[in-house]
Amino acid sequence: MISGFFKNLFQVIAFGCILTLIYLNIIIVPDNHVGLLVEKTRGLSEPMLKPGYHWNWTGFVPFKWNVYKIDLNPPVVNIHLRQPLRYGRYLEDADMFSINLNINVKYNLSEQSVLFFWNYLKHNIPEYNNYINDRVRLMVELFLSETYRKEEDVAYLNVLFRKYVSNEGRFKKDWDEIFKDEGIELIQYEITKLEIPEAAVYFENIKNIDKIFQARREATVKRLMAEANVYEKNLIDHAELEKAEKFIEIMQKYPDIIKYYQIEKLNPKAKIFIVNDQVKDHVNDQVKTNEIIKNNIQKEAEKPSNAAPPPEEKGKIESIKK
């Protein structure tokens, strides 16, 4: 009975191992998807996995492979563009004078697209949505720069945008041009929201734009001057701090300097020299030497002179002795 129990337990364990082995080595790729099989050391394995079931031997090494399942038919994407009018950003209510555009876009990816994003995005495949959105915004901004050249064009932007994103417009042609290397096929597109400021209101608000610019310039100059004053004050404070630190260092090295500093502050015209002990000893020695030299000179002057008579006394006749 006991042997039968262990036999059944072994069978259950074996069956569980087989199920685990199957689970870890079978890859299921859904419809409209491709699978990227990436090995840790060797990288991407080609070709890509088609929809269906695939056997991949892991060799009982956990997390040896990473599998990315990429939807080739992603859902509709809403792309939002917000672009201020040329002078709208300088007005008080800038949000009121901006173009707001929402476009719904439906596209299909291909294996070429997946491989491109794998290499371009450094294996970060999920980021391809952001890549596509940014490129579409750039495409619309280029169209706007071509059609919005002067302020009078604001009155026609609504019509021009709707014509651009239509079956007769250039939107699909620009898409095919900008995504030709990525192999992304545009299926459907439409404008879901388009808000452009009223031209009359915009013109009324920018008629005094010169005064607005002047006020902004004056405010900018004042701000720059204030920042310059703060910067100059910081430099002065820093210099004073360095000066104080240097003075403390000198005082610690030469304590007698404080006497000179006090006299200078009390009477700036006073000429006072404070020297250290070594200099004072040198001065005292010099004074003693000078005294010795002075005494020697004085002694030499007091000695009787044996020198010859002056030249004018030579040739005189001495008195005759009787």
Side-chain angles (χ1 to χ4, degrees), residues 203-234:
F203 295 152
E204 179 67 22
N205 279 269
I206 66 171
K207 66 181 181 180
N208 296 322
I209 196 67
D210 291 339
K211 294 181 179 180
I212 296 175
F213 284 158
Q214 181 63 28
R216 290 174 64 91
R217 278 194 294 267
E218 292 176 357
T220 302
V221 170
K222 290 180 180 179
R223 179 176 59 82
L224 292 176
M225 291 296 294
E227 291 177 356
N229 291 335
V230 171
Y231 179 71
E232 182 180 3
K233 185 177 182 302
N234 290 337

PDB file of all heavy atoms in Angstrom, residues 203-234:
ATOM      1  N   PHE A 203      -7.097  89.717 -33.872  1.00  0.00           N
ATOM      2  CA  PHE A 203      -6.571  90.974 -34.417  1.00  0.00           C
ATOM      3  C   PHE A 203      -6.776  92.128 -33.446  1.00  0.00           C
ATOM      4  O   PHE A 203      -5.918  93.005 -33.318  1.00  0.00           O
ATOM      5  CB  PHE A 203      -7.249  91.292 -35.760  1.00  0.00           C
ATOM      6  CG  PHE A 203      -6.938  90.295 -36.837  1.00  0.00           C
ATOM      7  CD1 PHE A 203      -7.836  90.050 -37.864  1.00  0.00           C
ATOM      8  CD2 PHE A 203      -5.749  89.571 -36.810  1.00  0.00           C
ATOM      9  CE1 PHE A 203      -7.553  89.121 -38.854  1.00  0.00           C
ATOM     10  CE2 PHE A 203      -5.453  88.645 -37.798  1.00  0.00           C
ATOM     11  CZ  PHE A 203      -6.362  88.421 -38.816  1.00  0.00           C
ATOM     12  N   GLU A 204      -7.917  92.127 -32.743  1.00  0.00           N
ATOM     13  CA  GLU A 204      -8.193  93.197 -31.779  1.00  0.00           C
ATOM     14  C   GLU A 204      -7.187  93.169 -30.628  1.00  0.00           C
ATOM     15  O   GLU A 204      -6.773  94.214 -30.123  1.00  0.00           O
ATOM     16  CB  GLU A 204      -9.616  93.032 -31.240  1.00  0.00           C
ATOM     17  CG  GLU A 204     -10.042  94.072 -30.212  1.00  0.00           C
ATOM     18  CD  GLU A 204     -10.152  95.471 -30.794  1.00  0.00           C
ATOM     19  OE1 GLU A 204     -10.310  95.614 -32.022  1.00  0.00           O
ATOM     20  OE2 GLU A 204     -10.045  96.442 -29.995  1.00  0.00           O
ATOM     21  N   ASN A 205      -6.765  91.976 -30.226  1.00  0.00           N
ATOM     22  CA  ASN A 205      -5.852  91.856 -29.082  1.00  0.00           C
ATOM     23  C   ASN A 205      -4.399  92.136 -29.457  1.00  0.00           C
ATOM     24  O   ASN A 205      -3.600  92.475 -28.578  1.00  0.00           O
ATOM     25  CB  ASN A 205      -5.966  90.464 -28.473  1.00  0.00           C
ATOM     26  CG  ASN A 205      -7.155  90.317 -27.557  1.00  0.00           C
ATOM     27  OD1 ASN A 205      -7.059  90.554 -26.349  1.00  0.00           O
ATOM     28  ND2 ASN A 205      -8.299  89.926 -28.116  1.00  0.00           N
ATOM     29  N   ILE A 206      -4.057  91.984 -30.727  1.00  0.00           N
ATOM     30  CA  ILE A 206      -2.651  92.195 -31.091  1.00  0.00           C
ATOM     31  C   ILE A 206      -2.407  93.560 -31.740  1.00  0.00           C
ATOM     32  O   ILE A 206      -1.282  93.837 -32.163  1.00  0.00           O
ATOM     33  CB  ILE A 206      -2.163  91.094 -32.060  1.00  0.00           C
ATOM     34  CG1 ILE A 206      -2.885  91.181 -33.401  1.00  0.00           C
ATOM     35  CG2 ILE A 206      -2.306  89.730 -31.426  1.00  0.00           C
ATOM     36  CD1 ILE A 206      -2.301  90.273 -34.463  1.00  0.00           C
ATOM     37  N   LYS A 207      -3.456  94.419 -31.810  1.00  0.00           N
ATOM     38  CA  LYS A 207      -3.240  95.714 -32.445  1.00  0.00           C
ATOM     39  C   LYS A 207      -2.284  96.593 -31.646  1.00  0.00           C
ATOM     40  O   LYS A 207      -1.653  97.490 -32.201  1.00  0.00           O
ATOM     41  CB  LYS A 207      -4.570  96.430 -32.663  1.00  0.00           C
ATOM     42  CG  LYS A 207      -5.295  96.828 -31.389  1.00  0.00           C
ATOM     43  CD  LYS A 207      -6.618  97.506 -31.722  1.00  0.00           C
ATOM     44  CE  LYS A 207      -7.344  97.945 -30.463  1.00  0.00           C
ATOM     45  NZ  LYS A 207      -8.636  98.613 -30.789  1.00  0.00           N
ATOM     46  N   ASN A 208      -2.182  96.352 -30.349  1.00  0.00           N
ATOM     47  CA  ASN A 208      -1.244  97.098 -29.496  1.00  0.00           C
ATOM     48  C   ASN A 208      -0.054  96.223 -29.098  1.00  0.00           C
ATOM     49  O   ASN A 208       0.494  96.365 -28.005  1.00  0.00           O
ATOM     50  CB  ASN A 208      -1.950  97.616 -28.239  1.00  0.00           C
ATOM     51  CG  ASN A 208      -3.040  98.615 -28.566  1.00  0.00           C
ATOM     52  OD1 ASN A 208      -2.890  99.436 -29.473  1.00  0.00           O
ATOM     53  ND2 ASN A 208      -4.146  98.548 -27.838  1.00  0.00           N
ATOM     54  N   ILE A 209       0.337  95.347 -29.999  1.00  0.00           N
ATOM     55  CA  ILE A 209       1.397  94.398 -29.666  1.00  0.00           C
ATOM     56  C   ILE A 209       2.727  95.098 -29.420  1.00  0.00           C
ATOM     57  O   ILE A 209       3.555  94.634 -28.623  1.00  0.00           O
ATOM     58  CB  ILE A 209       1.539  93.339 -30.787  1.00  0.00           C
ATOM     59  CG1 ILE A 209       2.354  92.135 -30.294  1.00  0.00           C
ATOM     60  CG2 ILE A 209       2.140  93.945 -32.041  1.00  0.00           C
ATOM     61  CD1 ILE A 209       1.688  91.325 -29.246  1.00  0.00           C
ATOM     62  N   ASP A 210       2.949  96.270 -30.081  1.00  0.00           N
ATOM     63  CA  ASP A 210       4.197  97.021 -29.868  1.00  0.00           C
ATOM     64  C   ASP A 210       4.317  97.475 -28.425  1.00  0.00           C
ATOM     65  O   ASP A 210       5.398  97.409 -27.825  1.00  0.00           O
ATOM     66  CB  ASP A 210       4.276  98.215 -30.810  1.00  0.00           C
ATOM     67  CG  ASP A 210       4.463  97.781 -32.258  1.00  0.00           C
ATOM     68  OD1 ASP A 210       4.921  96.647 -32.472  1.00  0.00           O
ATOM     69  OD2 ASP A 210       4.133  98.575 -33.157  1.00  0.00           O
ATOM     70  N   LYS A 211       3.211  97.938 -27.846  1.00  0.00           N
ATOM     71  CA  LYS A 211       3.230  98.365 -26.438  1.00  0.00           C
ATOM     72  C   LYS A 211       3.463  97.166 -25.518  1.00  0.00           C
ATOM     73  O   LYS A 211       4.147  97.288 -24.493  1.00  0.00           O
ATOM     74  CB  LYS A 211       1.915  99.058 -26.097  1.00  0.00           C
ATOM     75  CG  LYS A 211       1.691 100.371 -26.836  1.00  0.00           C
ATOM     76  CD  LYS A 211       0.383 101.006 -26.419  1.00  0.00           C
ATOM     77  CE  LYS A 211       0.165 102.330 -27.151  1.00  0.00           C
ATOM     78  NZ  LYS A 211      -1.115 102.969 -26.767  1.00  0.00           N
ATOM     79  N   ILE A 212       2.874  96.042 -25.900  1.00  0.00           N
ATOM     80  CA  ILE A 212       3.089  94.831 -25.090  1.00  0.00           C
ATOM     81  C   ILE A 212       4.562  94.421 -25.114  1.00  0.00           C
ATOM     82  O   ILE A 212       5.156  94.093 -24.086  1.00  0.00           O
ATOM     83  CB  ILE A 212       2.195  93.688 -25.615  1.00  0.00           C
ATOM     84  CG1 ILE A 212       0.724  94.043 -25.430  1.00  0.00           C
ATOM     85  CG2 ILE A 212       2.532  92.375 -24.920  1.00  0.00           C
ATOM     86  CD1 ILE A 212      -0.236  93.024 -26.034  1.00  0.00           C
ATOM     87  N   PHE A 213       5.169  94.460 -26.316  1.00  0.00           N
ATOM     88  CA  PHE A 213       6.586  94.130 -26.424  1.00  0.00           C
ATOM     89  C   PHE A 213       7.444  95.095 -25.616  1.00  0.00           C
ATOM     90  O   PHE A 213       8.415  94.684 -24.962  1.00  0.00           O
ATOM     91  CB  PHE A 213       7.021  94.145 -27.883  1.00  0.00           C
ATOM     92  CG  PHE A 213       6.570  92.942 -28.662  1.00  0.00           C
ATOM     93  CD1 PHE A 213       6.476  92.980 -30.042  1.00  0.00           C
ATOM     94  CD2 PHE A 213       6.242  91.757 -28.017  1.00  0.00           C
ATOM     95  CE1 PHE A 213       6.067  91.869 -30.760  1.00  0.00           C
ATOM     96  CE2 PHE A 213       5.834  90.649 -28.720  1.00  0.00           C
ATOM     97  CZ  PHE A 213       5.742  90.707 -30.095  1.00  0.00           C
ATOM     98  N   GLN A 214       7.083  96.420 -25.666  1.00  0.00           N
ATOM     99  CA  GLN A 214       7.847  97.414 -24.918  1.00  0.00           C
ATOM    100  C   GLN A 214       7.767  97.143 -23.421  1.00  0.00           C
ATOM    101  O   GLN A 214       8.773  97.215 -22.708  1.00  0.00           O
ATOM    102  CB  GLN A 214       7.322  98.827 -25.237  1.00  0.00           C
ATOM    103  CG  GLN A 214       8.063  99.943 -24.523  1.00  0.00           C
ATOM    104  CD  GLN A 214       9.519 100.038 -24.925  1.00  0.00           C
ATOM    105  OE1 GLN A 214       9.882  99.660 -26.045  1.00  0.00           O
ATOM    106  NE2 GLN A 214      10.357 100.518 -24.029  1.00  0.00           N
ATOM    107  N   ALA A 215       6.557  96.835 -22.946  1.00  0.00           N
ATOM    108  CA  ALA A 215       6.397  96.529 -21.518  1.00  0.00           C
ATOM    109  C   ALA A 215       7.185  95.276 -21.135  1.00  0.00           C
ATOM    110  O   ALA A 215       7.825  95.222 -20.077  1.00  0.00           O
ATOM    111  CB  ALA A 215       4.919  96.347 -21.196  1.00  0.00           C
ATOM    112  N   ARG A 216       7.180  94.259 -22.002  1.00  0.00           N
ATOM    113  CA  ARG A 216       7.929  93.040 -21.719  1.00  0.00           C
ATOM    114  C   ARG A 216       9.422  93.319 -21.720  1.00  0.00           C
ATOM    115  O   ARG A 216      10.178  92.772 -20.898  1.00  0.00           O
ATOM    116  CB  ARG A 216       7.600  91.950 -22.739  1.00  0.00           C
ATOM    117  CG  ARG A 216       6.195  91.390 -22.593  1.00  0.00           C
ATOM    118  CD  ARG A 216       5.878  90.421 -23.709  1.00  0.00           C
ATOM    119  NE  ARG A 216       6.736  89.257 -23.647  1.00  0.00           N
ATOM    120  CZ  ARG A 216       6.453  88.147 -22.987  1.00  0.00           C
ATOM    121  NH1 ARG A 216       5.314  88.047 -22.326  1.00  0.00           N
ATOM    122  NH2 ARG A 216       7.284  87.123 -22.986  1.00  0.00           N
ATOM    123  N   ARG A 217       9.878  94.180 -22.652  1.00  0.00           N
ATOM    124  CA  ARG A 217      11.301  94.525 -22.687  1.00  0.00           C
ATOM    125  C   ARG A 217      11.716  95.251 -21.409  1.00  0.00           C
ATOM    126  O   ARG A 217      12.764  94.956 -20.822  1.00  0.00           O
ATOM    127  CB  ARG A 217      11.601  95.391 -23.915  1.00  0.00           C
ATOM    128  CG  ARG A 217      11.783  94.604 -25.193  1.00  0.00           C
ATOM    129  CD  ARG A 217      12.400  95.455 -26.287  1.00  0.00           C
ATOM    130  NE  ARG A 217      11.493  96.520 -26.699  1.00  0.00           N
ATOM    131  CZ  ARG A 217      10.636  96.422 -27.692  1.00  0.00           C
ATOM    132  NH1 ARG A 217      10.558  95.295 -28.374  1.00  0.00           N
ATOM    133  NH2 ARG A 217       9.854  97.430 -28.018  1.00  0.00           N
ATOM    134  N   GLU A 218      10.885  96.220 -20.979  1.00  0.00           N
ATOM    135  CA  GLU A 218      11.209  96.956 -19.759  1.00  0.00           C
ATOM    136  C   GLU A 218      11.227  96.025 -18.549  1.00  0.00           C
ATOM    137  O   GLU A 218      12.117  96.134 -17.690  1.00  0.00           O
ATOM    138  CB  GLU A 218      10.193  98.076 -19.554  1.00  0.00           C
ATOM    139  CG  GLU A 218      10.277  99.196 -20.595  1.00  0.00           C
ATOM    140  CD  GLU A 218       9.201 100.237 -20.419  1.00  0.00           C
ATOM    141  OE1 GLU A 218       8.355 100.053 -19.512  1.00  0.00           O
ATOM    142  OE2 GLU A 218       9.205 101.234 -21.173  1.00  0.00           O
ATOM    143  N   ALA A 219      10.260  95.131 -18.496  1.00  0.00           N
ATOM    144  CA  ALA A 219      10.241  94.175 -17.376  1.00  0.00           C
ATOM    145  C   ALA A 219      11.465  93.268 -17.410  1.00  0.00           C
ATOM    146  O   ALA A 219      12.068  92.956 -16.372  1.00  0.00           O
ATOM    147  CB  ALA A 219       8.953  93.343 -17.427  1.00  0.00           C
ATOM    148  N   THR A 220      11.856  92.865 -18.628  1.00  0.00           N
ATOM    149  CA  THR A 220      13.037  92.009 -18.760  1.00  0.00           C
ATOM    150  C   THR A 220      14.299  92.745 -18.342  1.00  0.00           C
ATOM    151  O   THR A 220      15.166  92.197 -17.646  1.00  0.00           O
ATOM    152  CB  THR A 220      13.176  91.515 -20.208  1.00  0.00           C
ATOM    153  OG1 THR A 220      11.991  90.802 -20.574  1.00  0.00           O
ATOM    154  CG2 THR A 220      14.375  90.591 -20.353  1.00  0.00           C
ATOM    155  N   VAL A 221      14.419  94.027 -18.759  1.00  0.00           N
ATOM    156  CA  VAL A 221      15.589  94.827 -18.384  1.00  0.00           C
ATOM    157  C   VAL A 221      15.651  94.990 -16.874  1.00  0.00           C
ATOM    158  O   VAL A 221      16.725  94.868 -16.257  1.00  0.00           O
ATOM    159  CB  VAL A 221      15.550  96.190 -19.094  1.00  0.00           C
ATOM    160  CG1 VAL A 221      16.616  97.120 -18.516  1.00  0.00           C
ATOM    161  CG2 VAL A 221      15.763  96.020 -20.586  1.00  0.00           C
ATOM    162  N   LYS A 222      14.530  95.299 -16.245  1.00  0.00           N
ATOM    163  CA  LYS A 222      14.504  95.454 -14.781  1.00  0.00           C
ATOM    164  C   LYS A 222      14.913  94.163 -14.084  1.00  0.00           C
ATOM    165  O   LYS A 222      15.656  94.180 -13.099  1.00  0.00           O
ATOM    166  CB  LYS A 222      13.115  95.884 -14.330  1.00  0.00           C
ATOM    167  CG  LYS A 222      12.749  97.312 -14.726  1.00  0.00           C
ATOM    168  CD  LYS A 222      11.351  97.664 -14.229  1.00  0.00           C
ATOM    169  CE  LYS A 222      10.987  99.097 -14.623  1.00  0.00           C
ATOM    170  NZ  LYS A 222       9.623  99.456 -14.168  1.00  0.00           N
ATOM    171  N   ARG A 223      14.405  93.059 -14.604  1.00  0.00           N
ATOM    172  CA  ARG A 223      14.769  91.778 -13.991  1.00  0.00           C
ATOM    173  C   ARG A 223      16.257  91.493 -14.129  1.00  0.00           C
ATOM    174  O   ARG A 223      16.915  91.048 -13.180  1.00  0.00           O
ATOM    175  CB  ARG A 223      13.952  90.653 -14.642  1.00  0.00           C
ATOM    176  CG  ARG A 223      14.273  89.264 -14.101  1.00  0.00           C
ATOM    177  CD  ARG A 223      13.353  88.239 -14.719  1.00  0.00           C
ATOM    178  NE  ARG A 223      13.452  88.210 -16.157  1.00  0.00           N
ATOM    179  CZ  ARG A 223      14.404  87.562 -16.826  1.00  0.00           C
ATOM    180  NH1 ARG A 223      15.337  86.894 -16.173  1.00  0.00           N
ATOM    181  NH2 ARG A 223      14.421  87.571 -18.140  1.00  0.00           N
ATOM    182  N   LEU A 224      16.808  91.788 -15.332  1.00  0.00           N
ATOM    183  CA  LEU A 224      18.234  91.557 -15.551  1.00  0.00           C
ATOM    184  C   LEU A 224      19.081  92.475 -14.671  1.00  0.00           C
ATOM    185  O   LEU A 224      20.117  92.053 -14.139  1.00  0.00           O
ATOM    186  CB  LEU A 224      18.579  91.778 -17.025  1.00  0.00           C
ATOM    187  CG  LEU A 224      17.993  90.755 -18.004  1.00  0.00           C
ATOM    188  CD1 LEU A 224      18.330  91.141 -19.435  1.00  0.00           C
ATOM    189  CD2 LEU A 224      18.511  89.361 -17.709  1.00  0.00           C
ATOM    190  N   MET A 225      18.644  93.749 -14.513  1.00  0.00           N
ATOM    191  CA  MET A 225      19.378  94.676 -13.658  1.00  0.00           C
ATOM    192  C   MET A 225      19.341  94.218 -12.203  1.00  0.00           C
ATOM    193  O   MET A 225      20.349  94.291 -11.493  1.00  0.00           O
ATOM    194  CB  MET A 225      18.787  96.078 -13.783  1.00  0.00           C
ATOM    195  CG  MET A 225      19.022  96.729 -15.149  1.00  0.00           C
ATOM    196  SD  MET A 225      20.774  97.001 -15.495  1.00  0.00           S
ATOM    197  CE  MET A 225      21.163  98.230 -14.253  1.00  0.00           C
ATOM    198  N   ALA A 226      18.168  93.749 -11.770  1.00  0.00           N
ATOM    199  CA  ALA A 226      18.067  93.251 -10.397  1.00  0.00           C
ATOM    200  C   ALA A 226      18.972  92.048 -10.190  1.00  0.00           C
ATOM    201  O   ALA A 226      19.659  91.925  -9.173  1.00  0.00           O
ATOM    202  CB  ALA A 226      16.615  92.892 -10.080  1.00  0.00           C
ATOM    203  N   GLU A 227      18.992  91.134 -11.182  1.00  0.00           N
ATOM    204  CA  GLU A 227      19.873  89.965 -11.075  1.00  0.00           C
ATOM    205  C   GLU A 227      21.334  90.387 -11.082  1.00  0.00           C
ATOM    206  O   GLU A 227      22.154  89.802 -10.360  1.00  0.00           O
ATOM    207  CB  GLU A 227      19.589  89.013 -12.232  1.00  0.00           C
ATOM    208  CG  GLU A 227      18.218  88.335 -12.150  1.00  0.00           C
ATOM    209  CD  GLU A 227      17.949  87.454 -13.351  1.00  0.00           C
ATOM    210  OE1 GLU A 227      18.797  87.438 -14.268  1.00  0.00           O
ATOM    211  OE2 GLU A 227      16.887  86.784 -13.375  1.00  0.00           O
ATOM    212  N   ALA A 228      21.681  91.429 -11.877  1.00  0.00           N
ATOM    213  CA  ALA A 228      23.064  91.911 -11.909  1.00  0.00           C
ATOM    214  C   ALA A 228      23.462  92.516 -10.573  1.00  0.00           C
ATOM    215  O   ALA A 228      24.584  92.310 -10.094  1.00  0.00           O
ATOM    216  CB  ALA A 228      23.236  92.935 -13.032  1.00  0.00           C
ATOM    217  N   ASN A 229      22.529  93.275  -9.956  1.00  0.00           N
ATOM    218  CA  ASN A 229      22.828  93.871  -8.647  1.00  0.00           C
ATOM    219  C   ASN A 229      23.034  92.793  -7.591  1.00  0.00           C
ATOM    220  O   ASN A 229      23.933  92.886  -6.749  1.00  0.00           O
ATOM    221  CB  ASN A 229      21.690  94.807  -8.230  1.00  0.00           C
ATOM    222  CG  ASN A 229      21.620  96.051  -9.102  1.00  0.00           C
ATOM    223  OD1 ASN A 229      22.627  96.466  -9.685  1.00  0.00           O
ATOM    224  ND2 ASN A 229      20.452  96.655  -9.207  1.00  0.00           N
ATOM    225  N   VAL A 230      22.196  91.777  -7.636  1.00  0.00           N
ATOM    226  CA  VAL A 230      22.350  90.676  -6.675  1.00  0.00           C
ATOM    227  C   VAL A 230      23.682  89.972  -6.898  1.00  0.00           C
ATOM    228  O   VAL A 230      24.399  89.639  -5.943  1.00  0.00           O
ATOM    229  CB  VAL A 230      21.167  89.689  -6.809  1.00  0.00           C
ATOM    230  CG1 VAL A 230      21.418  88.440  -5.981  1.00  0.00           C
ATOM    231  CG2 VAL A 230      19.869  90.354  -6.382  1.00  0.00           C
ATOM    232  N   TYR A 231      24.034  89.769  -8.161  1.00  0.00           N
ATOM    233  CA  TYR A 231      25.301  89.105  -8.477  1.00  0.00           C
ATOM    234  C   TYR A 231      26.484  89.940  -7.999  1.00  0.00           C
ATOM    235  O   TYR A 231      27.444  89.408  -7.419  1.00  0.00           O
ATOM    236  CB  TYR A 231      25.386  88.882  -9.984  1.00  0.00           C
ATOM    237  CG  TYR A 231      26.674  88.214 -10.433  1.00  0.00           C
ATOM    238  CD1 TYR A 231      26.915  86.873 -10.156  1.00  0.00           C
ATOM    239  CD2 TYR A 231      27.636  88.936 -11.117  1.00  0.00           C
ATOM    240  CE1 TYR A 231      28.085  86.258 -10.559  1.00  0.00           C
ATOM    241  CE2 TYR A 231      28.809  88.328 -11.532  1.00  0.00           C
ATOM    242  CZ  TYR A 231      29.034  86.999 -11.248  1.00  0.00           C
ATOM    243  OH  TYR A 231      30.198  86.401 -11.651  1.00  0.00           O
ATOM    244  N   GLU A 232      26.412  91.287  -8.230  1.00  0.00           N
ATOM    245  CA  GLU A 232      27.502  92.166  -7.782  1.00  0.00           C
ATOM    246  C   GLU A 232      27.625  92.156  -6.267  1.00  0.00           C
ATOM    247  O   GLU A 232      28.729  92.108  -5.721  1.00  0.00           O
ATOM    248  CB  GLU A 232      27.237  93.577  -8.288  1.00  0.00           C
ATOM    249  CG  GLU A 232      28.340  94.568  -7.925  1.00  0.00           C
ATOM    250  CD  GLU A 232      28.049  95.964  -8.445  1.00  0.00           C
ATOM    251  OE1 GLU A 232      26.966  96.174  -9.031  1.00  0.00           O
ATOM    252  OE2 GLU A 232      28.905  96.837  -8.258  1.00  0.00           O
ATOM    253  N   LYS A 233      26.482  92.204  -5.582  1.00  0.00           N
ATOM    254  CA  LYS A 233      26.505  92.168  -4.113  1.00  0.00           C
ATOM    255  C   LYS A 233      27.104  90.857  -3.610  1.00  0.00           C
ATOM    256  O   LYS A 233      27.882  90.842  -2.643  1.00  0.00           O
ATOM    257  CB  LYS A 233      25.089  92.335  -3.558  1.00  0.00           C
ATOM    258  CG  LYS A 233      25.033  92.432  -2.032  1.00  0.00           C
ATOM    259  CD  LYS A 233      23.616  92.667  -1.563  1.00  0.00           C
ATOM    260  CE  LYS A 233      23.584  92.806  -0.043  1.00  0.00           C
ATOM    261  NZ  LYS A 233      24.121  91.645   0.662  1.00  0.00           N
ATOM    262  N   ASN A 234      26.766  89.760  -4.278  1.00  0.00           N
ATOM    263  CA  ASN A 234      27.338  88.472  -3.874  1.00  0.00           C
ATOM    264  C   ASN A 234      28.854  88.454  -4.058  1.00  0.00           C
ATOM    265  O   ASN A 234      29.587  87.903  -3.222  1.00  0.00           O
ATOM    266  CB  ASN A 234      26.703  87.337  -4.682  1.00  0.00           C
ATOM    267  CG  ASN A 234      25.256  87.096  -4.302  1.00  0.00           C
ATOM    268  OD1 ASN A 234      24.839  87.442  -3.191  1.00  0.00           O
ATOM    269  ND2 ASN A 234      24.478  86.519  -5.206  1.00  0.00           N
TER     270      ASN A 234
END
